[in-house]
Each structure stands twice: as structure tokens, then as C-alpha cells.
Amino acid sequence: MICVREAIVVEGRYDKNALRQVVDALIIPTDGFGIFRDREKRALLGELARTRGLILLTDSDGAGFVIRNHLKGVLPKEGVKQAYIPDVYGKERRKRHPGREGKLGVEGMPPAVLLEALLRAGATVLDGAAEQRARTRPITKADFFRDGLTGRPESAKRRAALQARLRLPERLTANALLEVLNALYDYPSYQAAVEELGRELGSSDAAEGKG
């Protein structure tokens, strides 16, 4: 397994599961054509493209290229790399029938093929230990609990407020938010945002109490 700096965009969760066997990276599914309607996710991908880079890894069928071309048109070109899998005909194990074009998708590719596709696309391979030291320490679930982002009655409200402050999609789960924050921010930046949010919410609650 290699550690890759860029975030990797795939079509669905089964593609994501297959890729996790190969690479340590932030992997974001488009939910198929759902990305066409999801402005928030497109905005997130744009931010990732600008800050750490993106690799597009869609299926090799027509639908995969429709999604790829759509993203190529809306994302910063300088921050996007293109990874391609070969045309291999067959059927994924979980499916009863092959896809419309009979080609295997990302989820059906052997790990070695996925790795080669990423490396040929120019993926930035990192020394995981060195990268971790450079980022001080990761943001953890324990930090979320301590900061009231999980495990409290108002946690969902606090997460939503933090996501709005950082211009992140509102539909992120707590686990997805943790993954995205670690991709975009270091721990001191996260802590500063949480402290500022606490002051803002504290002032808001005080104002409501006076009313």
C-alpha cells in the first residue's frame, strides 16, 4: 500500500472499497451521476483540487467518461490528474449481470492494475511517517468529542456551524467530516476554527437568552 497526497475521485462506494486495498488517501465517490446535482460536493472537490490536488479515476465505460468530462469542465485544470483503467470485459462478483458495455469497473480491477493507473497518472507518493510529522498530529474522534462535535445533544448543530464556517458540504457525516478536515487542515488550524466557533456560538446563545 502507498500513501498518496492527492485526493482520489471514484464513482461509487464499491470502487472506494477496492481502492482502499491499494492506497492510503482521501477517496471521494461521486455517487454516480449524483455529482451533477450536488453543488456542495463539487465545491469540496474544487477546494481539494486547489489545496492538495485530485486524481480522477472513473470506470472506462461511457458513463464513467461522462462523469470524468463533467468534472474536467468544472474543476481547476491545474489541480486535476487523470488516471485510467484498461478495458477489461467481465462481471464483478457482486453483480448478477455485466454492465451495459460489459466492461469491468474500478471495483473489478486487480490491486496491481489500480496501483499502476495511479502511478501513471503522476500520483504523489508520500512517506507516511514523514507526512504525519509535518502535519503535527491528526484530528481525531477524541477531539470531536472534547469539542462537542459528537456525543452531545447539540453536536449536529455545532458540526453544521463548523462546516458552514469552513465552506464544507453540510451533508457530511461526522466520520466524513473528520476525513475531510484531516485532508484540508492541520490540527492548529482546526483548533483555531473550533475556538472561534465556540466564541461565536457562545455570543449567539447569550443574545438569545437576553431575548
Side-chain angles (χ1 to χ4, degrees), residues 143-152 154-156 158-159:
D143 295 324
F144 268 24
F145 182 78
R146 180 201 64 211
D147 297 328
L149 297 173
T150 57
R152 316 287 173 82
E154 297 295 310
S155 291
R158 291 182 68 86
R159 288 199 308 275

Side-chain angles (χ1 to χ4, degrees), residues 32-205:
F33 294 140
I35 191 66
F36 297 169
R37 304 182 299 274
D38 196 335
R39 294 181 180 179
E40 292 181 338
K41 183 171 284 189
R42 292 200 304 271
L44 172 61
L45 294 181
E47 183 67 16
L48 287 168
R50 286 185 288 271
T51 56
R52 65 184 295 167
L54 284 180
I55 298 176
L56 299 185
L57 180 61
T58 61
D59 293 349
S60 61
D61 60 7
F65 274 88
V66 168
I67 294 170
R68 183 188 295 272
N69 290 332
H70 173 75
L71 292 176
K72 284 170 64 177
V74 300
L75 297 175
K77 295 181 180 179
E78 64 278 6
V80 179
K81 298 176 180 180
Q82 305 291 333
Y84 298 93
I85 58 172
D87 285 340
V88 177
Y89 291 86
K91 178 184 73 67
E92 285 86 1
R93 292 181 180 178
R94 69 178 180 87
K95 296 180 179 179
R96 296 184 61 183
H97 304 287
R100 179 177 300 178
E101 297 179 27
K103 298 177 182 178
L104 291 175
V106 169
E107 68 168 287
M109 291 291 120
V113 172
L114 295 176
L115 178 59
E116 181 182 6
L118 293 173
L119 294 177
R120 290 180 66 179
T124 305
V125 180
L126 300 171
D127 172 351
E131 177 72 0
Q132 189 60 49
R133 288 194 298 271
R135 292 174 57 83
T136 63
R137 76 168 182 82
I139 306 160
T140 67
K141 290 183 178 180
D143 295 324
F144 268 24
F145 182 78
R146 180 201 64 211
D147 297 328
L149 297 173
T150 57
R152 316 287 173 82
E154 297 295 310
S155 291
K157 176 182 176 181
R158 291 182 68 86
R159 288 199 308 275
L162 179 63
Q163 287 161 220
R165 170 174 290 278
L166 298 177
R167 296 188 301 175
L168 297 175
E170 66 179 12
R171 296 186 183 90
L172 293 173
T173 65
N175 286 337
L177 176 60
L178 184 65
E179 191 173 29
V180 169
L181 288 175
N182 273 304
L184 292 175
Y185 301 96
D186 57 17
Y187 178 78
S189 299
Y190 158 77
Q191 194 57 49
V194 167
E195 291 174 358
E196 189 171 351
L197 177 67
R199 289 191 292 270
E200 179 180 291
L201 292 179
S203 300
S204 175
D205 291 343

